[in-house]
């Protein structure tokens, strides 16, 4: 079966602007290929095509692309799920600068991630082995720690498109909450203080694009709601009991 | 660890505006007040099928109706200002328009504030003017 594929192309060395390039590709029958398989077939046909990929099983988060208008990981998205009327258009994740073809510059995405201090901060004296956590407290990290930073969510979020330099974005905020809710972290107050401005958290309008695209089935909108509640509680009760 | 440039950017911008929590609360609270005011008026309209000018004037002669209308007007202005400011900082940002965004934002925000002040004064004049 042949399929019509249209791919976003841009080569900074030769192109003034980007264009869509159309390919006709023969799809081997018998099994449902993933979009990444299709890209590999295309690359055999046209070796100049660039994209990122690594683990090819939805773990590394490097092959996030926009397929027929929806962000997702090419390696775990079956053609049957995205192809419409035997046509597929593949574009880079929207909103960030394109380096080449489907490869985007994720600097702003990582800067927002860096901003939320994605590591445990604990000012209690160092313990001999590890800091223990009750099973209940550990459970609070479920649905948060699984994020693979693929950027599908943040680049689907209109608020992040408009203010990628000021709004932390769904991926960063999911991780912000992951450390806010961790019983071993003692920097809750500093973390919240860094998020109370009108942009970092409050730019979220609850559009939930992030939830609809996350390939890990995570829910950044819910995490953002929790952060907002923590900020509100902190505002009405200025010196919260330190836990 | 030094803060990233993104963090500094946020502090600079927010130094001129308010904090996100109060904006968020004001917007929700004003929305509730407006909803209450609108629904009350609609109920009054439904209960007054043959509406005449005299009835309308009598309603707004009552001082508690005047107070409610004023609260509604203030809520509408506050609600509108936060919405207008937010839209402006989405679409007229340095990120999308470059350095000249400041000029666009200034014109847009000044015009919006002027319009809202005129509405407010005009509304007060209608409510308490002779
Ligand atoms: S819910 Fe918030 S973070 Fe998620 S896409 Fe919408 S605005 Fe962006
Ligand atoms: S929350 Fe989901 S979509 Fe967003 S970066 Fe993490 S894994 Fe990707």
């Amino acid at each position: 079966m042949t399929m019509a594929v249209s791919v976003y192309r841009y080569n900074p060395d030769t192109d003034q602007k980007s264009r869509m390039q159309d390919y006709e590709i023969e799809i081997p029958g018998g099994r449902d290929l993933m979009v990444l398989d299709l890209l590999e077939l295309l690359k055999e046909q046209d070796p100049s095509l660039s994209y990122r990929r690594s683990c090819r099983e939805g773990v590394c988060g490097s092959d996030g692309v926009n397929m027929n208008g929806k962000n997702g990981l090419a390696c775990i998205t079956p053609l049957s799920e995205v192809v419409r009327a035997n046509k597929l258009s593949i574009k880079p994740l929207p909103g960030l600068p394109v380096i080449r073809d489907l490869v985007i510059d994720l600097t702003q995405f990582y800067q927002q991630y860096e901003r939320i201090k994605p590591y445990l901060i604990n000012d209690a004296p160092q313990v001999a082995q590890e800091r223990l956590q009750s099973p209940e407290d550990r459970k609070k990290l479920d649905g948060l720690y699984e994020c693979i930073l693929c950027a599908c969510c943040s680049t689907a979020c209109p608020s992040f498109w408009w203010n990628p330099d000021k709004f932390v974005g769904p991926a960063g905020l999911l991780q912000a909450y992951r450390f806010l809710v961790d019983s071993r972290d003692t920097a809750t107050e500093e973390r919240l203080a860094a998020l109370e401005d009108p942009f970092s958290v409050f730019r979220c309008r609850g559009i939930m694009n992030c939830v609809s695209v996350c390939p890990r089935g995570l829910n950044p909108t819910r995490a953002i709601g929790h952060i907002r509640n923590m900020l509100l509680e902190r505002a009405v009760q200025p010196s919260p009991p330190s836990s | 660890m030094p803060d990233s440039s993104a963090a500094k950017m946020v502090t600079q911008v927010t130094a001129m505006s308010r904090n996100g929590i109060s904006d968020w609360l004001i917007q929700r609270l004003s929305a509730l007040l407006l909803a209450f005011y609108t629904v009350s008026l609609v109920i009054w309209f439904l209960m007054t099928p043959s509406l005449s000018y005299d009835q309308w004037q009598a309603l707004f002669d009552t001082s508690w109706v005047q107070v409610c209308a004023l609260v509604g007007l203030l809520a509408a202005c506050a609600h509108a200002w936060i919405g207008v400011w937010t839209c402006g900082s989405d679409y007229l940002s340095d990120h999308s328009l470059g350095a000249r965004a400041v000029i666009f934002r200034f014109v847009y925000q000044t015009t919006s504030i002027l319009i809202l002040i005129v509405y407010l004064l005009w509304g007060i004049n209608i409510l308490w003017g002779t």
Side-chain angles (χ1 to χ4, degrees):
Chain A
M1 185 184 79
T2 44
M3 200 173 90
V5 188
S6 177
V7 184
Y8 180 101
R9 302 300 310 266
Y10 172 69
N11 177 345
D13 298 329
T14 54
D15 299 340
Q16 290 289 338
K17 53 200 231 346
S18 62
R19 67 202 148 85
M20 294 301 290
Q21 184 169 348
D22 296 326
Y23 298 89
E24 287 286 325
I25 185 124
E26 187 60 36
I27 305 287
R31 68 193 179 101
D32 196 6
L33 293 189
M34 298 293 166
V35 175
L36 181 64
D37 299 323
L38 180 86
L39 284 172
E40 307 272 279
L41 290 173
L42 280 179
K43 197 165 171 78
E44 276 171 28
Q45 211 182 85
D46 179 354
S48 70
L49 178 65
S50 303
Y51 50 89
R52 289 193 180 106
R53 51 92 71 203
S54 180
C55 76
R56 58 100 189 99
E57 55 185 5
V59 174
C60 73
S62 55
D63 66 351
V65 286
N66 183 283
M67 298 159 286
N68 270 354
K70 192 169 178 191
N71 292 354
L73 296 180
C75 57
I76 53 169
T77 306
L79 290 180
S80 60
E81 203 177 276
V82 282
V83 174
R84 294 279 171 273
N86 209 28
K87 282 204 188 78
L88 176 62
S89 101
I90 307 178
K91 293 180 185 167
L93 292 178
L96 290 175
V98 174
I99 296 175
R100 182 183 169 128
D101 298 341
L102 302 176
V103 179
I104 56 168
D105 179 355
L106 285 158
T107 308
Q108 281 176 314
F109 176 77
Y110 291 130
Q111 275 175 346
Q112 294 298 349
Y113 179 57
E114 183 192 2
R115 236 184 85 191
I116 60 103
K117 301 200 164 58
Y119 38 82
L120 271 187
I121 302 174
N122 190 320
D123 46 21
Q126 197 74 41
V127 288
Q129 289 181 329
E130 68 253 57
R131 295 191 195 279
L132 296 179
Q133 189 171 44
S134 70
E136 295 76 50
D137 281 337
R138 166 61 189 77
K139 230 179 155 57
K140 292 180 186 158
L141 309 182
D142 287 343
L144 305 170
Y145 79 91
E146 299 94 329
C147 170
I148 54 174
L149 292 177
C150 65
C152 287
C153 57
S154 291
T155 58
C157 170
S159 288
F160 189 73
W161 295 338
W162 310 145
N163 288 291
D165 50 345
K166 305 191 202 78
F167 174 50
V168 173
L173 289 171
L174 188 85
Q175 290 316 298
Y177 184 61
R178 182 245 169 277
F179 289 98
L180 280 168
V181 81
D182 194 313
S183 61
R184 300 161 298 177
D185 191 282
T186 56
T188 311
E189 172 54 29
E190 295 89 306
R191 291 182 188 279
L192 289 176
L195 294 173
E196 67 173 8
D197 63 90
F199 284 97
S200 302
V201 173
F202 287 95
R203 260 317 127 121
C204 169
R205 311 276 166 70
I207 312 155
M208 291 180 84
N209 277 6
C210 50
V211 181
S212 81
V213 298
C214 177
R216 309 281 295 182
L218 307 179
N219 190 329
T221 312
R222 190 164 53 211
I224 294 170
H226 288 311
I227 300 181
R228 200 161 44 213
N229 289 346
M230 291 178 91
L231 283 166
L232 289 169
E233 273 168 32
R234 173 173 166 275
V236 291
Q237 162 199 59
S239 49
S242 50
S243 51
Chain B
M1 202 187 89
D3 274 354
S4 67
S5 60
K8 276 189 220 117
M9 184 79 100
V10 170
T11 353
Q12 275 166 20
V13 168
T14 55
M16 303 184 314
S17 84
R18 295 134 306 168
N19 122 338
I21 304 154
S22 55
D23 280 10
W24 192 85
L25 276 175
I26 292 171
Q27 196 143 39
R28 265 78 199 161
L29 189 70
S30 56
L32 281 179
L33 289 171
L34 283 173
F36 176 75
Y37 182 67
T38 314
V39 170
S40 311
L41 264 192
V42 169
I43 292 176
W44 184 80
F45 276 123
L46 290 178
M47 284 169 27
T48 322
S50 57
L51 178 60
S52 70
Y53 178 71
D54 289 341
Q55 282 171 309
W56 182 247
Q57 205 181 28
L59 176 73
F60 279 90
D61 259 350
T62 345
S63 47
W64 66 269
V65 175
Q66 288 176 329
V67 170
C68 287
L70 182 67
V71 171
L73 192 60
L74 287 170
C77 288
H79 196 86
W81 169 244
I82 294 175
V84 155
W85 178 82
T86 307
C87 288
S89 52
D90 269 353
Y91 298 108
L92 304 175
S93 68
D94 298 352
H95 170 72
S96 49
L97 298 176
R100 70 210 155 104
V102 164
I103 305 166
F104 286 118
R105 271 205 306 274
F106 178 77
V107 173
Y108 167 77
Q109 292 182 352
T110 324
T111 318
S112 311
I113 290 182
L114 283 177
I115 293 175
L116 288 177
I117 290 178
V118 168
Y119 277 164
L120 187 63
L121 294 179
W122 192 10
I124 292 175
N125 185 37
I126 292 172
L127 283 172
W128 272 291
T130 44

